Amino acid sequence: MAHINDHYLKLKAGYLFPEIARRVREFSTANPAAKIIRLGIGDVTRPLPAACITAGKAAFDELGEGKSFRGYGPEQGYDFLREAIAEHDFKSRGVAIDASEIVVSDGSKCDTGNIQEIFGADCLIAVPDPVYPVYVDTNVMAGRTGQADVSGRYAGLVYLNSTAESGFLPAFPKRRVDLVYLCFPNNPTGCVASRAVLTSWVEWATRNGAIILFDAAYEAFISDPTIPHSIFEIPGARECAIEFRSYSKTAGFTGTRCAYTVVPKTLRGFDAVGSPVDILPLWLRRQTTKFNGVSYPIQRAAEACYSEAGKTQIKDLVQYYMGNAKIIRDGLAKMGIEIHGGVNAPYIWLKTPGNLSSWEFFDHLLTKANVVGTPGAGFGACGEGYFRLSAFGETDQVREAVERISKLGL
Ligand code: PLP
């Protein structure tokens, strides 16, 4: 008999998006004429930048010739991409990250999910609430938690409340923890962390010997020049942080898949007898054992993000989505709805009007305006009473959605 990993049985069934899909399906079946606008799931809708397509196609052509064919690539990622990343994402911002500290992957979902494997089963984990669910579920799978309570919180995890009172910044842990996941710009709240806030986190981690797992998947959407794009802009972060970056939202790679993780050579954990251990070799060991690299054409396509044409096209993409965010923000503000985010991030986090619960508001929008968003409660207990709208739609659809919502008289 094959005994399964019992920890998987603690997982709350992938509740949020399947439940949204179920409710939308039910409504559509009963109302086939309804033209539903989806501002729920955080997938992009615009085509890939032309520079990426050209580079990817040329790379495929190389693979079709005997003299330029390549098989398995380096598991860490090709030098050309890692060097472009070090130069354009870090050095250009005055941040010293070496290409050898960059590990290319097929997504930040995998990286933020897999990173916990290289840490001890006894590590205490802190996550923000509301939270990108991958941070939580992968620790549940690894056996670092007990069961979930009625609010969905797992025993053994430390939840850092992010509420309106704190500007949706997660509270500092009140007890010792070993690893903290942070995500800025934030999914789902769309809020960002100032230099001062990030500095406090780095100081806290340094003081407490903790490691920050910093998810910067939405970094490209930062428009405020005072907001750091990388935690490594903060002195001391090289000794206490790992950063995750993705081309998914930046350049429309959600289907194409390319991302990277930065593990500074100066970051250390501790073994069972308290001796320091470098983290980078452990992550490389994990990746080289379980991952065979991102395909050559996709890494060439990612490299093209840093060409002059690529940079312009990405800027246009980001502006397109942020134009949508402004339409949503302006429209909701005119209706007197309390809104957060949507300025340096593609998500708008709104307080549900009339004290409706997140799911009551979801049903109201779906049935009365035929607009689909994401109930905040699906991201954690602190998300109750909030709702996420995504700016990753087509502008005419976004306009129409806002117009329909405005007619509800909320
Ligand atoms: N991190 C956050 C906060 C996200 O919202 C997402 C995707 O929605 C990811 C990571 C996953 O990114 P990727 O497509 O690179 O796996």
Side-chain angles (χ1 to χ4, degrees):
M1 274 219 307
H3 182 190
I4 50 90
N5 176 350
D6 286 320
H7 303 303
Y8 273 61
L9 304 182
K10 296 177 195 159
L11 290 166
K12 311 254 297 174
Y15 173 70
L16 179 60
F17 290 108
E19 178 60 14
I20 290 174
R22 190 191 67 75
R23 292 191 192 202
V24 172
R25 209 169 36 241
E26 211 167 78
F27 179 76
S28 302
T29 309
N31 302 274
K35 288 199 171 50
I36 292 174
I37 301 178
R38 293 166 199 273
L39 299 180
I41 294 176
D43 198 359
V44 295
T45 51
R46 304 297 293 166
L48 287 164
C52 299
I53 295 296
T54 306
K57 279 183 179 168
F60 259 119
D61 286 342
E62 280 181 55
L63 299 184
E65 298 287 334
K67 61 180 182 338
S68 49
F69 173 76
R70 297 167 188 243
Y72 290 125
E75 289 105 333
Q76 190 175 351
Y78 282 102
D79 288 352
F80 62 77
L81 179 55
R82 290 184 297 105
E83 271 154 23
I85 292 166
E87 175 68 31
H88 295 276
D89 282 347
F90 295 101
K91 196 168 167 210
S92 69
R93 300 191 65 80
V95 179
I97 291 294
D98 191 76
S100 60
E101 298 173 305
I102 293 161
V103 188
V104 175
S105 78
D106 60 347
S108 287
K109 184 180 200 174
C110 329
D111 287 354
T112 55
N114 292 331
I115 195 76
Q116 47 77 29
E117 277 185 30
I118 62 169
F119 294 99
D122 56 347
C123 276
L124 277 168
I125 312 288
V127 294
D129 180 356
V131 64
Y132 176 54
V134 172
Y135 314 152
V136 172
D137 288 359
T138 51
N139 278 292
V140 176
M141 290 169 173
R144 289 199 187 86
T145 74
Q147 300 289 346
D149 66 16
V150 283
S151 75
R153 286 186 165 193
Y154 289 92
L157 281 188
V158 174
Y159 288 85
L160 311 177
N161 291 352
S162 316
T163 60
E165 292 69 45
S166 67
F168 295 101
L169 294 170
F172 284 92
K174 290 196 180 74
R175 56 175 296 183
R176 182 189 71 79
V177 297
D178 302 298
L179 297 170
V180 178
Y181 293 80
L182 293 178
C183 174
F184 292 114
N186 189 261
N187 175 18
T189 67
C191 292
V192 284
S194 66
R195 187 169 297 276
V197 167
L198 283 187
T199 301
S200 313
W201 274 106
V202 167
E203 286 171 358
W204 169 86
T206 308
R207 241 183 357 260
N208 291 279
I211 290 179
I212 297 171
L213 303 171
F214 190 75
D215 186 346
Y218 297 94
E219 156 278 331
F221 296 87
I222 295 173
S223 56
D224 180 339
T226 68
I227 303 290
H229 288 234
S230 165
I231 194 154
F232 299 119
E233 291 179 45
I234 310 300
R238 283 186 57 89
E239 283 70 41
C240 69
I242 292 174
E243 180 163 304
F244 306 92
R245 294 274 191 108
S246 172
Y247 297 95
S248 281
K249 311 297 162 81
T250 308
F253 276 52
T254 53
T256 328
R257 314 304 302 148
C258 197
Y260 66 87
T261 288
V262 181
V263 186
K265 284 180 184 152
T266 41
L267 180 69
R268 298 204 168 80
F270 294 91
D271 67 12
V273 293
S275 304
V277 178
D278 290 348
I279 300 285
L280 176 61
L282 299 185
W283 181 239
L284 284 173
R285 186 71 173 86
R286 193 261 168 219
Q287 290 298 84
T288 52
T289 301
K290 297 195 179 184
F291 181 60
N292 249 340
V294 175
S295 78
Y296 175 66
I298 296 306
Q299 292 195 54
R300 280 291 185 201
E303 181 196 23
C305 292
Y306 302 107
S307 65
E308 282 316 305
K311 280 183 187 169
T312 308
Q313 289 156 11
I314 285 173
K315 211 190 239 167
D316 291 348
L317 261 185
V318 167
Q319 264 170 13
Y320 180 90
Y321 293 130
M322 291 315 290
N324 290 346
K326 183 163 168 26
I327 293 169
I328 299 172
R329 276 185 61 90
D330 290 351
L332 296 179
K334 229 187 253 170
M335 298 170 218
I337 293 174
E338 181 188 319
I339 44 172
H340 306 273
V343 177
N344 294 290
Y347 296 120
I348 292 93
W349 187 242
L350 62 104
K351 176 94 196 75
T352 57
N355 278 330
L356 292 179
S357 75
S358 296
W359 280 105
E360 283 168 345
F361 188 65
F362 173 90
D363 287 335
H364 191 66
L365 273 199
L366 172 63
T367 56
K368 301 290 187 287
N370 306 156
V371 171
V372 179
T374 313
F379 297 100
C382 290
E384 181 54 277
Y386 288 88
F387 200 76
R388 189 190 79 173
L389 289 176
S390 152
F392 288 126
E394 298 287 326
T395 302
D396 55 344
Q397 293 264 295
V398 168
R399 264 207 196 95
E400 159 107 34
V402 171
E403 183 146 343
R404 287 190 202 166
I405 298 171
S406 73
K407 287 189 182 137
L408 296 180
L410 295 168

